Structure formats: C-alpha cells, structure tokens
Amino acid sequence: MVFPGQSGVVAAEVTAPTQQGLLTLEALPGGTVSYSFTPTEPGTYYYQSGTNMDKQVQLGLFGAIIVRPSVAPFNDGHHAYNHSDSQFDREFLFLLSEMDVNHHEMWEFGAPVDTTTFFPVYWFINGRNAPDTMFAAGAPWLPSQPYNCMPMMEPGERLLMRVIGIGRDMHPFHHHGNHSRIIAENGRLLESTPGAGADLSREVFTIHVVPGKTVDAIFTWTGEGLGWDIYGTGPGYEHDCMDGNGDNFDDMTHEYCPDHGKPFPVILPTKKELTFGGFWSGSPFLGDTGSLPPGEGGLNPWAGYTYMWHSHNEKEMTNNDVFPGGMMTMLIVVPPGSMMMMAE
Amino acid sequence: MRTKKTRQFAMLALAVATLFVVTGASHAATVTSNLITGLVNVTMPDGAVVPMAGFGLSGGSVSVPGPVLEANEGDTLVINLTNSLPVPITVVVHGQRIQNPTPVDVGGRVLSFVPHSGSFTFPNLKAGTYLYESGTHPAVEVPMGLYGVLIVRPATPGQAYNDPVSAYDTEHVVVFSDVDPVLNTMVRTGRYGSALYPSTVKYAPKYFLVNGKAYPQTVPMTANNGDRVLLRLVNAGNRDYAPTLNGLYSMVIAEDGNLLPFPENDLAVMLPAGKTKDVIVTPGADTRYTLYDRRLNLSNAGTAGVGGILTFLEVGTVPPLSPLKKARTRR
C-alpha cells in the first residue's frame, strides 16, 4: 500500500511472506505488512495498492483518507484545514473511478490482462454507479458498496466537496446549481504564504479531476438572483422576508429578500402535459408539494430543489451503454430545518 | 512623502535593472545546432523491435528522444538540419518564435507548419523547458520519434528562470511519450495510409516511455539528500500523463516555459500532450523514490510484469533493486 501525501511511512513485515516491491514492502498472499505514519497535515488524501497498479488499483484496491485539523478552534469537525476559510456545514466525498469490465473478467478467469487496451464502461462515485449513488449508505442489497453519495444541504450552507481522482482517467465533475470555490488541492490550502488562508482559491463550475490528485471545494446555494420568490406567491403562500442582519437573506428561511414576492415567471403545464421524474414534488416552490398522479414522485419528500452533479463527459453517465447511470448523483437543497428533522 | 519617494526610487531602480537585462539580451550569442535525422530500431523490454525515426547531432547517431539542446535566454538558436529520411522533416519549438513561420500547403492542406528548409532560426529565446519536434505531418512523424527537448537558461546560474523559486541543485530532463508499434511498422514498410492503417485516428499505443525507454529499461535519475531537484517534465506523446513521485510532493513552478505566479504542490502532475512543466522536488531521505504515471500506463504491450512509465529517483547510496528478494523482517 502507498499513501500519497503522507511522509515518513514505515512499512514492516508482521507475518511472512512479504517482499520489497517497486514502491514499498509488499504483502505476498498470506503475508501481513504494517504501514505506519503520523499524519501531520490536515486534508483529503487517498491510499491505494502500490503493486501491479495498472491491475490492482483498477480492481478496486483504493480508498480515501481524511485528516482532520488539530488546532483549536478548527478541530470542531467543521473545518477542513487549520484556517477559517475551510469552514463547512456539511461535507461529502466524491471518490471517482472507472472500470473496464473486460479486464475484470479476464482477471477472474486467470487470463493475462493487457491493460494498454483499457476501455472503461462503468463510472463510479464512492464505488457506486448511478442510480445506486443515491441510495442509502449501507444499503443491504449493496453489501460490498457501503458508501453512497447524495449531497444534501440547506440554503446558505457551506458544503465541502472532497474530490479524489482514483482511477486512470480525468473526469470533468460538473456541479449544477452554483459555482464552487476550490480552496485546497492535494491536501494543501491554496495559500500564497503559510497562514494566509485560501487566498489563491478560485471559482469553478466543473472540477477537473486528475488521477492521483485531490480537490477540496466549498459549494454554496442561496437562490440569490433567481428573479422569483422560492417560497411562492399568491393565496396560500403568504410569508415574510425578515432580514435582520442586513445580508439580503431572511434570517430563518434564507430567502433572498430582493426577490421576495416576485411571481414564478413560468406558466406550468397541466399534469396531462407532463412526464414525471421521481424528484418532482408537484410544486416549483421550496418545501412545497403539489398533487401528483398516483405512483409519481416520492423521492423528494422534503420538496427540495434537485441539481444533477455528474461527469460532464456525458458518456460517463452510462452503465455499460445504458443511460442514465455512471458518474452521477443529485444535490438536494432542502428547506431550512429539514436536515435537523432527518437527523432525528 | 518619504515612503512615496522611496517607492519612486525603487521603481527607477527596477527600470534600470530591466534596461540592463534587455541590454544583456542584445549581446546574446547565436547558438548553432547541427541536427541529422535517421532511422533507428528500438528494442522494447518484451523483445519487440519497433522501427522508429530520431534526431541526432551531426557526426553522431540518432536517438529517441533526440539530443537535449541548450542555449541561453536572448540567444538566437539556428538549427541546421540534414535530413536523410525519404520524407520532408522540419523543426519547430513549441513556445519559441520562429523567424519564418510560413506553412507549406499541399493540395490545400497544411503539410508543414514552417517552410521546408535546411535551417530553422529561433531569435531571442525565452528561458525555460521546451519541446522541439518535427513540424511536418506531426501526427505521424512525432510518434515515429522525431522529438527532443530544448533548455533555455536564464542569466542567473543554478536557476531555471529569473526567479529564486526556480533555484536547483540537480536537474533532470524527463520526456514522456508513447508508441503504437503498428503505426511505426506501417510507416517503415510504406503501408501507412493504406486500408491496413489509413490514419492515426485509431492510434493505440502499446508502449509508454520515459526518456525513450519503458520499464525495466528506464535509467534511474540520481540526486543527493536535501537537494532541490529540478525535473523538466515534457510530454512528447499523444496521451496525457500524470507523473507522480511516491513519497514526495512535486512543486510545480512553471508550465510551457512560463513561471507560475505561485508554485503548486502536486501529488500527480497533470501533463497533457505537448506540455512542459518544471517541478522541484526535495528528497528528505537516502532512498529510491519511484516515479510513475498515475494514469497507470504501466504495461509493455500487455506482457507479464510491470512496464511502461516507471523509473526511479535514487537519492544517496541505495542498494541495488531486486524486486523478488525477500525483505528483511523486523526481528
């Protein structure tokens, strides 16, 4: 195993047989090697096989490492680094990989694998393909794929994306809904001098994910400037926008007050003229549900807003030629208070 | 007021310094490289013999990659080319100005980026790491092996650029490339362009090279513990690579011969086709650091064992590598 970004890794034999490999001490079948190091720098990292990597990493021998900051007050579980620029309300992992299923089958049958012919047909986030990415973590019917990836947030929150390229290919990971701000790469804040904070951070709407690199980005969604009232207008939708602290947003609902009372600018088609997705709540307004035909909807009980987050190499949104799937999930922006209810 | 005056003085001093540099450049020399082209057969680690073409120095032999050319910032580089291949060959240096950039059209299609000539002139060179390659039918001639590296040194010795961030103790040129042996064989046997291999659209590389060799033929680089090691990374291939050094961060200081405003700490350096990046690594132990492509191009045409883009940075005295030797146990 190798641990890129960590220093002073010591590899020692626990149980024979082991052997010195091209990168580190290797455990031969039946052997055990211990690898030890003291993580000194907080950040997003990964581990992987350091042996026959073109085969073993592709077979799935990899994972993520998150090193938490240790300096108060940044050791509160809501900072990625020892600086306030890395503050977040929620964090999600995006460990991106891909699979050439032919290589796996040849390996299973004991046939030689020519990895120069690599041609992936499955694409993964945290070891799952869409739509599995959106099922619950630990779903019993996915026993060897315990991690999901369904980012959820309330308006105005800071969502930390921990993005790792662990496969062989680059992936343009596109997050609809807003730009994100890349604050760190490879476990290092983008700072001009130590302690400066993320002063070299930059905004993107597609994260260029490179094999062997990690990216930490802060995503926010506020609804600012949509041009209509996200909580609806007219009879049944009476509400106030109370901006006590002068940040242009309601202090409780995070509504963008300059758009308060502006009507939804689209005349919605009638139900007969629509086809329905599982995330459609029946209403365009945040936290509001409308009537749906029997059997429709149901994936969005909090009536949140949904944004597709996916590889913008559109081919990678398939499962062995079947669309939709692959490297794709949905961000759900849920009404304020929903996350607390979910936690209960 | 005093502060403002001081600042004005500083600006003046800077202006004078700039003038000095410009004046220095006008005294620059003309550097002449006499290059040849030729055929060469490269034996890959699996025993396959791949017909290639390469550049060489006049009076010497050709190689893949070609010879590393060196000049100083502000120099004029003149490359005189003696071409023994049966097709036109030219030389372009990506990122440097060429004196006569008129392309050569054949039947309304560009065949060469620059005129067919025996001499190519690049005035007022810019410091940095650059890729030179054939500017004629590059889709074929470059993967055949007609590429090399030009290093342009700044006025300050021991630096890659006119900035102390680029100071180094040891430097190495690391050229990445790839080979589709079928293309090379088709070109050598005159069958390229036939139904057997109509174009490079289906180019499918089987060998992945560091400085012209695939592991285990790659030649380790050396450095001393604590050195600032400058690696001039150059991608002369048709695929994108992500070179990574196990156990070390790579500090990227420049790309395409341009100094970055702030260095970037990378675990895997994204190196697209045609790009150069200068990185500085600082080894902290006497050991063998493994440099490999994190895109995992680690196979020699599918043969058993590790191949492709993998080599070592050997720091201090390291024991010979014997992968199958059992490691010493802790007891």
Side-chain angles (χ1 to χ4, degrees):
Chain A
M1 289 175 75
V2 292
F3 305 87
Q6 311 297 337
S7 56
V9 179
V10 176
E13 180 182 276
V14 177
T15 313
T18 64
Q19 74 177 11
Q20 184 61 45
L22 295 175
L23 273 73
T24 186
L25 189 65
E26 302 173 333
L28 294 170
T32 308
V33 174
S34 86
Y35 303 93
S36 55
F37 58 91
T38 304
T40 55
E41 301 287 334
T44 303
Y45 303 97
Y46 58 93
Y47 59 90
Q48 64 178 56
S49 170
T51 302
N52 291 327
M53 292 177 286
D54 55 331
K55 299 177 185 71
Q56 295 193 3
V57 174
Q58 272 301 304
L59 281 169
L61 294 173
F62 55 75
I65 295 178
I66 293 172
V67 179
R68 305 277 176 196
S70 59
V71 178
F74 309 113
N75 56 357
D76 61 351
H78 284 283
H79 289 82
Y81 295 87
N82 287 310
H83 195 279
S84 56
D85 287 353
S86 68
Q87 186 272 329
F88 61 85
D89 298 292
R90 302 179 197 285
E91 61 180 327
F92 293 90
L93 179 69
F94 302 84
L95 182 69
L96 307 187
S97 63
E98 67 288 315
M99 177 198 284
D100 180 335
V101 72
N102 288 336
H103 287 186
H104 286 243
E105 288 175 351
M106 290 170 80
W107 174 80
E108 184 183 10
F109 300 146
V113 178
D114 178 0
T115 59
T116 68
T117 64
F118 183 61
F119 190 83
V121 291
Y122 288 100
W123 291 270
F124 299 81
I125 308 175
N126 299 343
R128 288 188 184 178
N129 321 98
D132 292 351
T133 48
M134 292 174 275
F135 287 121
W141 64 91
L142 298 167
S144 57
Q145 297 162 279
Y147 293 101
N148 72 344
C149 182
M150 180 108 182
M152 299 178 77
M153 66 185 297
E154 297 180 1
E157 289 186 333
R158 287 164 66 90
L159 185 154
L160 172 66
M161 305 171 66
R162 296 183 184 267
V163 188
I164 304 171
I166 203 73
R168 292 185 66 172
D169 283 345
M170 283 74 75
H171 302 290
F173 195 70
H174 179 57
H175 45 77
H176 281 260
N178 202 356
H179 303 264
S180 71
R181 179 167 287 278
I182 295 179
I183 60 162
E185 292 180 350
N186 306 304
R188 296 291 182 270
L189 266 185
L190 297 179
E191 56 186 6
S192 58
T193 52
D199 61 339
L200 301 180
S201 66
R202 63 188 190 274
E203 286 198 318
V204 299
F205 53 75
T206 301
I207 295 175
H208 181 214
V209 184
V210 174
K213 290 189 69 164
T214 76
V215 169
D216 295 308
I218 299 282
F219 177 91
T220 59
W221 188 93
T222 65
E224 176 175 349
L226 278 181
W228 45 279
D229 189 329
I230 59 171
Y231 292 109
T233 55
Y237 293 99
E238 294 85 358
H239 63 280
D240 295 322
C241 201
M242 311 269 282
D243 176 17
N245 60 10
D247 67 353
N248 275 343
F249 293 98
D250 184 283
D251 303 331
M252 297 290 289
T253 67
H254 212 84
E255 178 183 352
Y256 181 61
C257 289
D259 284 346
H260 179 66
K262 291 184 184 172
F264 190 63
V266 174
I267 298 168
L268 286 176
T270 66
K271 284 197 280 293
K272 283 181 197 164
E273 295 164 310
L274 288 174
T275 52
F276 295 85
F279 286 102
W280 173 237
S281 72
S283 164
F285 304 123
L286 188 62
D288 185 45
T289 51
S291 61
L292 291 167
E296 297 293 354
L299 297 181
N300 189 5
W302 297 279
Y305 286 152
T306 52
Y307 292 93
M308 186 186 285
W309 285 15
H310 64 103
S311 168
H312 223 300
N313 181 345
E314 311 281 332
K315 171 185 172 182
E316 299 180 350
M317 290 167 60
T318 57
N319 296 328
N320 206 1
D321 264 356
V322 178
F323 175 90
M327 194 173 279
M328 188 264 278
T329 185
M330 295 284 178
L331 164 76
I332 315 290
V333 182
V334 294
S338 310
M339 298 293 271
M340 200 190 299
M341 285 162 58
M342 277 179 247
E344 286 165 7
Chain B
M1 206 52 189
R2 193 178 171 82
T3 316
K4 195 175 178 187
K5 265 201 175 142
T6 312
R7 196 174 299 151
Q8 280 171 343
F9 178 74
M11 294 288 278
L12 185 68
L14 188 69
V16 170
T18 311
L19 269 177
F20 178 75
V21 170
V22 171
T23 311
S26 72
H27 286 288
T30 295
V31 177
T32 303
S33 291
N34 295 315
L35 293 187
I36 56 171
T37 59
L39 300 173
V40 58
N41 290 327
V42 176
T43 305
M44 296 296 171
D46 59 356
V49 177
V50 179
M52 297 189 79
F55 288 113
L57 291 176
S58 183
S61 53
V62 301
S63 60
V64 180
V68 174
L69 307 181
E70 290 194 40
N72 292 318
E73 186 177 24
D75 283 354
T76 295
L77 173 67
V78 177
I79 295 177
N80 297 318
L81 180 67
T82 304
N83 177 23
S84 63
L85 298 176
V87 290
I89 306 286
T90 54
V91 181
V92 292
V93 183
H94 300 299
Q96 300 288 2
R97 206 155 51 89
I98 191 163
Q99 208 159 50
N100 184 357
T102 313
V104 176
D105 285 14
V106 173
R109 295 176 65 183
V110 173
L111 175 67
S112 301
F113 299 143
V114 292
H116 295 166
S117 160
S119 184
F120 307 89
T121 302
F122 304 88
N124 196 13
L125 293 175
K126 211 164 135 277
T129 305
Y130 299 91
L131 171 66
Y132 71 84
E133 55 188 24
S134 177
T136 301
H137 201 179
V140 164
E141 294 189 359
V142 174
M144 287 300 288
L146 290 164
Y147 48 80
V149 169
L150 167 68
I151 296 174
V152 181
R153 301 194 181 279
T156 314
Q159 290 184 186
Y161 295 87
N162 286 306
D163 191 301
V165 75
S166 65
Y168 62 86
D169 304 301
T170 309
E171 67 174 323
H172 293 286
V173 172
V174 194
V175 183
F176 301 91
S177 58
D178 35 75
V179 173
D180 176 352
V182 182
L183 167 68
N184 291 46
T185 303
M186 291 294 160
V187 171
R188 181 72 74 86
T189 55
R191 288 178 290 174
Y192 175 79
S194 73
L196 285 169
Y197 203 107
S199 77
T200 51
V201 166
K202 292 190 175 175
Y203 178 78
K206 306 299 280 184
Y207 299 99
F208 302 89
L209 312 182
V210 187
N211 291 337
K213 294 179 188 305
Y215 186 82
Q217 292 178 337
T218 50
V219 181
M221 301 171 283
T222 56
N224 296 312
N225 191 0
D227 274 3
R228 285 171 64 91
V229 183
L230 170 68
L231 301 178
R232 298 179 184 269
L233 307 178
V234 178
N235 188 346
N238 281 347
R239 291 290 181 264
D240 303 332
Y241 298 110
T244 184
L245 263 161
N246 185 44
L248 290 175
Y249 272 89
S250 296
M251 183 174 74
V252 183
I253 59 164
E255 66 177 300
D256 298 335
N258 298 301
L259 200 67
L260 298 182
F262 292 92
E264 295 168 1
N265 284 306
D266 251 343
L267 289 173
V269 180
M270 182 74 254
L271 194 69
K275 186 170 277 295
T276 76
K277 282 190 179 177
D278 297 307
V279 310
I280 288 182
V281 298
T282 311
D286 278 8
T287 188
R288 180 183 283 108
Y289 294 94
T290 310
L291 187 158
Y292 65 97
D293 173 29
R294 185 53 188 74
R295 297 205 61 208
L296 308 179
N297 290 299
L298 299 170
S299 174
N300 296 328
T303 51
V306 177
I309 293 178
L310 188 141
T311 187
F312 302 101
L313 178 64
E314 294 182 345
V315 176
T317 309
V318 290
L321 188 73
S322 49
L324 294 176
K325 195 177 162 190
K326 187 174 172 294
R328 197 175 299 158
T329 64
R330 209 177 215 177
R331 285 177 296 238

